Amino acid sequence: DIQMTQSPSTLSASVGDRVTITCRASQSINSWLAWYQQKPGKAPKLLINKASRLQNGVPSRFSGSGSGTEFTLSISSLQPDDFATYYCQQYSSYSLTFGGGTKVEIK
Amino acid sequence: EVQLVQSGAEVKKPGETLKISCKGSGYSFTNFWIGWVRQMPGKGLEWMAIIYPDDSDTKYSPSVQGQVTISVDKSISTAYLQWSSLRASDTAMYYCARQVGDYFDSWGQGTQVTVSS
């Protein structure tokens, strides 16, 4: 099975900061990577698919990049609504794996 | 609008059976895989299984294979996740989600399952 490792597990930042979250795959997954945002008590929300494609309605301050085994999710200017937990997810051969999550906290 | 509506919270005892549901609407239910994702208390997301409603083809994560069964009734656009003998370790929030290619684009609201004696 492909393992997904996210870092950091927790990130403290202020409104207006640029933040970057990294996700590493244990083997190449081409660009089969998605990013989700989850707030407490809510279902996850898709932000980005195919490593860099922004889902409709997601603010442009979110961006994704990478291919192969290393990927990043960036938020260009952190907003109050962005404090949440973020997960990466890979897909290969009818099997999916989520990363362990990155909690973005208020500094 | 794509919607996935899950059944309500459940409180069960160890050893009991349970079947939770996920009803899809607003799209062609039979043409998209439906997945189940577990989130244990205070933990991250864990993919459990997927099912293709048109032919009930299923794929399970090795971590849950044999522990749960997923099924679908396409006549009522509903997917199911069931247990034959619950354990305390099954206590979690369970989400269903529609899979589009390699990602989940729409999610249900979640079903909390609590197993306690």
Side-chain angles (χ1 to χ4, degrees):
Chain A
D1 286 2
I2 297 176
Q3 307 302 316
M4 305 301 292
T5 303
Q6 273 185 248
S7 60
S9 55
T10 307
L11 188 161
S12 296
S14 301
V15 172
D17 284 352
R18 178 181 179 85
V19 301
T20 299
I21 298 167
T22 298
C23 184
R24 289 187 175 88
S26 59
Q27 63 190 76
S28 177
I29 55 171
N30 297 308
S31 296
W32 304 118
L33 186 99
W35 289 98
Y36 302 86
Q37 177 193 66
Q38 188 182 32
K39 296 182 178 179
K42 299 294 186 182
K45 172 188 172 184
L46 177 67
L47 298 176
I48 287 170
N49 67 79
K50 303 262 189 321
S52 61
R53 295 187 189 178
L54 205 64
Q55 189 71 359
N56 287 344
V58 174
S60 59
R61 62 181 179 272
F62 290 91
S63 64
S65 65
S67 66
T69 62
E70 188 149 338
F71 302 86
T72 60
L73 172 70
S74 296
I75 309 172
S76 61
S77 178
L78 201 63
Q79 298 302 301
D81 191 49
D82 301 338
F83 292 97
T85 300
Y86 294 85
Y87 295 93
C88 62
Q89 170 249 309
Q90 70 81 27
Y91 171 84
S92 69
S93 302
Y94 297 105
S95 178
L96 298 93
T97 316
F98 290 93
T102 296
K103 185 175 182 180
V104 178
E105 298 181 327
I106 300 173
K107 193 171 186 179
Chain B
E1 179 197 6
V2 174
Q3 278 199 309
L4 296 171
V5 178
Q6 298 184 228
S7 49
E10 302 275 359
V11 179
K12 292 288 189 179
K13 290 181 165 49
E16 291 187 332
T17 63
L18 176 64
K19 191 174 189 178
I20 63 175
S21 66
C22 169
K23 182 174 176 62
S25 63
Y27 73 100
S28 179
F29 184 76
T30 55
N31 290 351
F32 294 85
W33 291 82
I34 289 282
W36 288 93
V37 175
R38 176 170 65 187
Q39 188 166 37
M40 293 179 174
K43 301 299 184 183
L45 304 173
E46 179 186 7
W47 172 72
M48 299 177 70
I50 50 174
I51 186 165
Y52 192 67
D54 194 42
D55 61 6
S56 293
D57 188 17
T58 57
K59 313 288 182 187
Y60 290 89
S61 164
S63 65
V64 304
Q65 178 84 49
Q67 309 302 312
V68 298
T69 302
I70 58 173
S71 60
V72 66
D73 185 340
K74 58 185 180 180
S75 71
I76 55 171
S77 301
T78 299
Y80 301 96
L81 174 64
Q82 66 182 82
W83 294 259
S84 59
S85 181
L86 285 160
R87 308 172 184 176
S89 57
D90 294 318
T91 294
M93 180 71 80
Y94 293 88
Y95 295 101
C96 65
R98 185 180 81 160
Q99 184 176 338
V100 178
D102 56 305
Y103 55 90
F104 294 122
D105 73 332
S106 299
W107 293 67
Q109 82 277 20
T111 296
Q112 176 65 47
V113 174
T114 303
V115 184
S116 174
S117 55

